[in-house]
Amino acid sequence: MNIETPVWRQVRAAIVAQIAAGEFPPGTPLPAERALAERFSCAIGTIRRATDGLVAEGVLSRQQGRGTFVAQHTPERLFRFFHLRRPDGAAELPRTEFLDFAERRADRTQAAALGLELDAPLLRARHLQHLGGRPAMLEKLWLPATLFPGLDGARFAGRPGTVYDLYQREFGISVTRIDEQLRAAIPPARVASRLGLRVGEPALFIQRVAHAVDGKPVELRLAWADTRDLAYFNSRA
Amino acid sequence: MNIETPVWRQVRAAIVAQIAAGEFPPGTPLPAERALAERFSCAIGTIRRATDGLVAEGVLSRQQGRGTFVAQHTPERLFRFFHLRRPDGAAELPRTEFLDFAERRADRTQAAALGLELDAPLLRARHLQHLGGRPAMLEKLWLPATLFPGLDGARFAGRPGTVYDLYQREFGISVTRIDEQLRAAIPPARVASRLGLRVGEPALFIQRVAHAVDGKPVELRLAWADTRDLAYFNSRA
DNA sequence: CCCAATTTGTTCGTATGTATA
DNA sequence: TTATACATACGAACAAATTGG
């Protein structure tokens, strides 16, 4: 921080911190702009300036006449982070088939990706995403166990919505940013058979780290996607 | 447009139109905020509201004490659209090896992607991108000939900077958005040999449509990337 | 159904600080 | 030093959408 951090940045940081701390669970309204202006002893315009960026990032959602809400992982919001679609670009929700759940310890790579110590306790889950009734993507997830106390296979598999939904509702962790690396490669035989690929057929390998509101990494995900009839969509402005 | 479009949207649209029309070439400053406020008969805050989004998109760049400038395709800006990097994420500028240039006519797919009629005149270029001294990506580009009058192989190959630089400086076309589809596939033998891949080794296939400030498609690009030692980076907030 | 209260959306105008030429 | 331009901040007013009586 500088000697003179702008007020709107201070306010923004304070709001983010409160959301990250779970004081405003997803779906709940923030105090009204006037109330926030009073609490932070600043003008309404400064409050708007502070929240503008969060709205753009999808952390908050403003509705005229209703209020400003902490965003939830609605299906619509999911597509910010789900990039696999049919070539015509039609957005379709994947069906998730749970495979297994286990406790592990972080190896060198996992620890580095998640900002943890070597051998830190991890939770690992595997599942298979289906699109159009066919297997499309095989995913392996690692979570820092300390961030998800009490999470087990039953709760993981029995969740009603998406994975990020679960993180948010049950553990107050809102995924707001993901960093991905993509490669083309030949998947191992076991992966290929899950995806219905012949031996030697390539697939898209995706390595993802998901970050919470405060920027801390909360999930490492490795995935193999069958891109014979699907494509990974990316759009940048 | 609604019956009542907000002033800031009108101002934004007007500025975009003027940039797209080449009235403010890249690198030149926009009129000062006060001047714009007078020209559009509105408050200075409304001007800022109008330009805020354009700054966020990278169309404009504001510098305190200097002015607001129409963005140029600096190397830095290039990385918004160049996603291939070494796994450690180090950003390195590619070296471009020109291959060939030709005049073509749009087939069904190309016409659809570029919003043109069938058989519309196109310009096609091919080049090879090198990273770390090794071939990394083989690209094929198609441009609507009408948008690039007088462009030939010599001018294309002899340009000083990047391709998007050329579009901008010579033809007033600023690429501000790209839509991409990625797939893993086995490249044709000719492509594989260019990239130093053995037969049957997979590569990342990238299909890109680039759009100008006004949203119109201006380039179709098909590329094969060698992702054995490189990865396609994507980050979303 | 209408009304009133609440909340965000838009716009205005002003003042002061800070970076640049 | 001076003038210019953007950055920040304030406060006010009215419009538009929503909600509850």
Side-chain angles (χ1 to χ4, degrees):
Chain A
M1 296 286 186
N2 269 335
I3 338 174
E4 197 77 28
T5 306
V7 179
W8 70 267
R9 282 193 178 279
Q10 299 176 32
V11 172
R12 185 198 148 110
I15 292 174
V16 165
Q18 283 185 276
I19 293 174
E23 295 181 39
F24 300 118
T28 59
L30 245 55
E33 292 172 346
R34 272 195 199 120
L36 287 173
E38 265 199 43
R39 175 186 304 190
F40 290 108
S41 307
C42 68
I44 277 191
T46 305
I47 296 297
R48 289 195 70 90
R49 178 71 181 274
T51 51
D52 273 346
L54 298 174
V55 171
E57 288 174 29
V59 175
L60 297 178
S61 132
R62 282 196 293 231
Q63 287 171 256
Q64 186 176 162
R66 297 229 304 143
T68 303
F69 301 83
V70 180
Q72 283 176 301
H73 279 109
T74 59
E76 185 183 287
R77 179 151 171 66
L78 171 67
F79 286 117
R80 288 179 79 94
F81 300 135
F82 187 76
H83 296 120
L84 213 55
R85 299 186 193 173
R86 286 207 307 274
D88 59 30
E92 186 192 343
L93 270 177
R95 181 177 67 78
T96 304
E97 177 192 346
F98 172 77
L99 296 180
D100 60 25
F101 190 96
E103 299 180 12
R104 288 286 184 275
R105 297 215 161 254
D107 67 18
R108 226 181 171 67
T109 317
Q110 292 155 359
L114 291 168
L116 301 172
E117 303 290 325
L118 194 66
D119 289 326
L122 295 179
L123 305 173
R124 191 201 68 184
R126 288 191 283 203
H127 56 211
L128 185 58
Q129 304 272 18
H130 297 256
L131 272 177
R134 290 162 52 186
M137 185 159 56
L138 184 66
E139 294 186 312
K140 224 189 288 192
L141 294 71
W142 288 269
L143 311 171
T146 53
L147 292 180
F148 298 87
L151 181 59
D152 55 21
R155 283 178 75 190
F156 188 88
R159 71 180 185 278
T162 70
V163 175
Y164 289 173
D165 236 354
L166 174 76
Y167 300 171
Q168 194 179 62
R169 280 203 326 277
E170 306 272 330
F171 304 97
I173 293 173
S174 289
V175 172
T176 59
R177 189 169 64 87
I178 60 168
D179 291 329
E180 294 186 321
Q181 292 186 35
L182 285 75
R183 289 181 181 77
I186 308 287
R190 247 188 309 256
V191 172
S193 81
R194 283 278 192 193
L195 292 173
L197 291 166
R198 285 186 300 274
V199 177
E201 263 190 313
L204 187 62
F205 182 65
I206 307 171
Q207 185 173 347
R208 167 191 292 194
V209 177
H211 302 261
V213 185
D214 54 8
K216 292 211 180 73
V218 294
E219 180 204 75
L220 168 65
R221 189 184 288 218
L222 301 187
W224 288 96
D226 173 8
T227 55
R228 288 174 301 180
D229 297 320
L230 300 168
Y232 177 100
F233 278 68
N234 187 28
S235 185
R236 291 204 77 81
Chain B
M1 296 289 185
N2 268 337
I3 339 174
E4 196 76 28
T5 306
V7 178
W8 70 267
R9 283 192 178 278
Q10 298 176 32
V11 171
R12 184 197 150 111
I15 292 175
V16 165
Q18 284 187 275
I19 292 174
E23 295 182 40
F24 300 119
T28 59
L30 245 55
E33 291 172 346
R34 273 198 198 119
L36 287 172
E38 267 198 41
R39 176 186 303 187
F40 290 108
S41 307
C42 69
I44 219 173
T46 306
I47 297 296
R48 288 195 70 91
R49 178 71 181 272
T51 51
D52 273 348
L54 298 175
V55 171
E57 289 174 27
V59 175
L60 297 177
S61 133
R62 280 196 294 232
Q63 287 171 256
Q64 184 176 168
R66 297 227 305 141
T68 303
F69 301 83
V70 180
Q72 284 177 299
H73 279 108
T74 60
E76 185 184 288
R77 179 152 171 65
L78 170 68
F79 286 116
R80 287 179 80 93
F81 300 135
F82 187 77
H83 297 119
L84 212 57
R85 299 187 193 172
R86 287 208 308 274
D88 59 29
E92 186 191 343
L93 270 177
R95 180 178 68 77
T96 305
E97 178 191 348
F98 173 75
L99 296 179
D100 62 24
F101 190 95
E103 298 181 12
R104 288 285 185 277
R105 297 212 162 257
D107 67 19
R108 225 181 171 66
T109 317
Q110 292 155 0
L114 290 168
L116 302 171
E117 303 290 324
L118 195 65
D119 289 327
L122 295 178
L123 305 173
R124 191 202 66 183
R126 288 192 283 204
H127 56 212
L128 185 58
Q129 305 271 19
H130 296 256
L131 272 178
R134 290 162 52 185
M137 184 159 56
L138 184 65
E139 295 185 311
K140 225 189 285 194
L141 294 71
W142 288 268
L143 311 171
T146 53
L147 292 180
F148 299 86
L151 181 59
D152 56 20
R155 283 177 74 190
F156 187 88
R159 71 181 185 277
T162 71
V163 174
Y164 289 172
D165 236 353
L166 174 76
Y167 301 170
Q168 194 180 61
R169 281 202 325 276
E170 308 271 331
F171 304 97
I173 293 173
S174 288
V175 171
T176 58
R177 190 171 62 87
I178 59 168
D179 291 329
E180 294 186 320
Q181 292 186 34
L182 285 75
R183 287 181 182 76
I186 307 289
R190 246 189 310 259
V191 172
S193 81
R194 284 275 192 194
L195 292 173
L197 291 166
R198 286 186 299 273
V199 178
E201 265 190 309
L204 187 62
F205 181 66
I206 307 171
Q207 186 173 346
R208 166 191 292 193
V209 177
H211 303 261
V213 184
D214 55 9
K216 292 210 180 74
V218 294
E219 180 205 75
L220 169 65
R221 189 183 288 218
L222 301 187
W224 287 96
D226 173 8
T227 54
R228 288 174 301 179
D229 297 320
L230 301 168
Y232 177 100
F233 277 68
N234 186 29
S235 186
R236 292 203 76 82

